[in-house]
């Protein structure tokens, strides 16, 4: 892709509002006790930070890193775990925190892997849910924003490792 163009999709205010709504829904479903948030690096780093503060309750936080092989903007379907959990999850309420679920292949691999740790409960929170390329039969329990077709960057999401720092979410469009 030549120099891409970024078109604003979701403002920082819109994202903040959706994160607050996610936190409210999660707090309703988990009235007591600690939740263990499992962020999926790298894309979820901002969402974990914002969600943990929006929850306003005791949380444990850990991170995993998975990588899918593919070309610039699409997945090959092969996913590997490159960094595993550091905290034990047995008998804990575990919430996977994803920036985006696209094909669902990353989430499927992670979900199966975490189940082996025998958590008390295992659910998924995703800021963005893009269903048009879904390949795995898996759904997030908490979804901030449903997305149609398009490659998005910002708020943790990258294109060739760029744009993760942006506070807004943009649609990446091919340059001239
Ligand atoms: C992105 C995103 C999700 C995954 C979703 O991560 O953060 O983890 O892809 O895609 P899928 O549903 O098609 O599996 P990526 O592998 O690009 O790594 P990154 O978070 O480090 O950018």
């Amino acid at each position: 892709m030549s120099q891409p163009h970024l078109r604003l999709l979701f403002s920082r205010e819109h994202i903040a509002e959706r994160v607050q709504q996610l936190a409210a829904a999660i707090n309703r479903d988990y009235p007591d006790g600690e939740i263990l948030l499992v962020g999926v690096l790298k894309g979820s780093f901002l969402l974990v930070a914002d969600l943990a503060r929006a929850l306003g309750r005791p949380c444990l936080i850990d991170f995993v890193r998975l990588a899918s092989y593919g070309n610039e903007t699409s997945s090959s379907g092969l996913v590997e775990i490159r960094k595993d959990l550091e905290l034990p999850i047995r008998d804990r309420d575990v919430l996977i925190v994803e920036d985006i679920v696209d094909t669902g292949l990353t989430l499927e691999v992670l979900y199966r892997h975490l189940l082996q740790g025998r958590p008390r409960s295992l659910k998924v929170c995703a800021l963005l849910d893009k269903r048009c390329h879904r390949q795995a039969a898996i759904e997030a329990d908490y979804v901030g924003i449903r997305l149609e077709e398009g490659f998005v960057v910002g708020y943790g999401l990258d294109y060739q490792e760029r744009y993760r720092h942006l506070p807004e979410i943009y649609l990446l469009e091919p340059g001239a």
Side-chain angles (χ1 to χ4, degrees):
M1 197 183 287
S2 57
Q3 187 62 31
H5 176 258
L6 302 186
R7 182 156 68 80
L8 180 65
L9 270 189
F10 306 115
S11 68
R12 60 174 81 189
E13 293 78 15
H14 186 77
I15 296 168
E17 189 185 308
R18 293 307 171 105
V19 172
Q20 288 295 337
Q21 290 169 355
L22 287 170
I26 293 164
N27 276 332
R28 275 196 298 276
D29 289 353
Y30 299 83
D32 313 301
E34 284 177 333
I35 305 174
L36 197 164
L37 305 180
V38 175
V40 186
L41 293 171
K42 300 179 192 174
S44 74
F45 76 104
L46 290 178
L47 178 60
V48 170
D50 287 345
L51 184 66
R53 287 177 287 185
L55 285 168
R57 61 185 288 159
C59 289
L60 301 179
I61 297 176
D62 204 347
F63 289 95
V64 294
R65 172 137 176 74
L66 290 90
S68 54
Y69 298 96
N71 63 26
E72 288 185 336
T73 57
S74 69
S75 164
S76 68
L78 293 172
V79 179
E80 70 167 14
I81 297 171
R82 293 206 178 153
K83 179 211 171 300
D84 207 343
L85 287 173
E86 294 171 16
L87 299 178
I89 61 170
R90 187 171 179 138
D91 297 331
R92 289 200 175 278
D93 290 314
V94 176
L95 184 63
I96 297 171
V97 181
E98 262 287 25
D99 48 323
I100 185 167
V101 182
D102 187 358
T103 64
L105 295 169
T106 302
L107 185 56
E108 183 179 52
V109 169
L110 178 60
Y111 194 92
R112 283 194 188 153
H113 175 68
L114 294 186
L115 273 185
Q116 292 172 7
R118 302 177 69 180
R120 176 165 45 221
S121 67
L122 181 59
K123 288 191 178 186
V124 180
C125 172
L127 180 64
L128 301 170
D129 184 19
K130 189 168 129 186
R131 307 184 54 105
C132 56
H133 302 135
R134 190 64 43 85
Q135 294 179 38
I138 192 161
E139 300 288 338
D141 300 278
Y142 306 96
V143 171
I145 302 170
R146 297 194 193 278
L147 258 189
E148 302 303 322
E149 186 78 45
F151 191 88
V152 289
V153 298
Y155 197 73
L157 291 142
D158 76 308
Y159 171 65
Q160 295 184 342
E161 294 300 328
R162 297 201 166 81
Y163 312 121
R164 293 190 197 274
H165 66 289
L166 296 171
E168 306 85 10
I169 293 173
Y170 294 83
L171 185 66
L172 191 83
E173 295 176 326

